[in-house]
Amino acid sequence: AFAGGINTEFKQLITGAFGIPLDFINGSVAYTSNYKELKATIYEQTINPQTNTIIEAFNNHFKQFDNGIYSIQYKPYQYQSLDDKV
C-alpha cells in the first residue's frame, strides 16, 4: 500500500486507461440511479469487452494444442432492467 493512499492524478491515469469514471472508484456517485447506470456502463463498455479480448487470446493460443476442441466460453453479464443494476 502507498503511504497516504494513491493520489488523484494516478487514479485518473489508471481509470482512464480502462474507461472507468473516477467517481465510481472514489465512491462519490451522487445518486443510486447514477451508480446503477455507471455500473451497467462499466460492464458493457469495459469489463465485457476486456474479458472477451482475454478469452479470445487464450482460445487462440491453446487452439494449437487441441485443434480448437476445447475453448473458454464467456457469457457477458446483461442487465435485464434498471432494478437489476445494483
Side-chain angles (χ1 to χ4, degrees):
F2 295 101
I6 299 174
N7 68 30
T8 302
E9 185 177 335
F10 190 60
K11 286 180 186 178
Q12 288 174 331
L13 181 66
I14 294 170
T15 57
F18 291 98
I20 299 173
L22 187 58
D23 286 345
F24 190 76
I25 301 300
N26 286 336
S28 59
V29 178
Y31 302 99
T32 303
S33 62
N34 291 355
Y35 173 80
K36 292 174 184 179
E37 290 295 327
L38 188 55
K39 185 176 178 182
T41 300
I42 289 170
Y43 269 93
E44 293 165 1
Q45 296 182 5
T46 303
I47 294 173
N48 290 340
Q50 290 287 340
T51 302
N52 285 330
T53 299
I54 293 167
I55 288 173
E56 184 178 317
F58 273 112
N59 287 339
N60 287 337
H61 173 73
F62 290 116
K63 189 184 297 184
Q64 65 185 329
F65 303 110
D66 66 7
N67 294 321
I69 295 172
Y70 300 104
S71 65
I72 299 170
Q73 302 296 314
Y74 172 69
K75 181 179 177 187
Y77 186 73
Q78 298 286 327
Y79 292 108
Q80 301 303 317
S81 70
L82 188 60
D83 293 334
D84 295 338
K85 294 182 180 180
V86 176

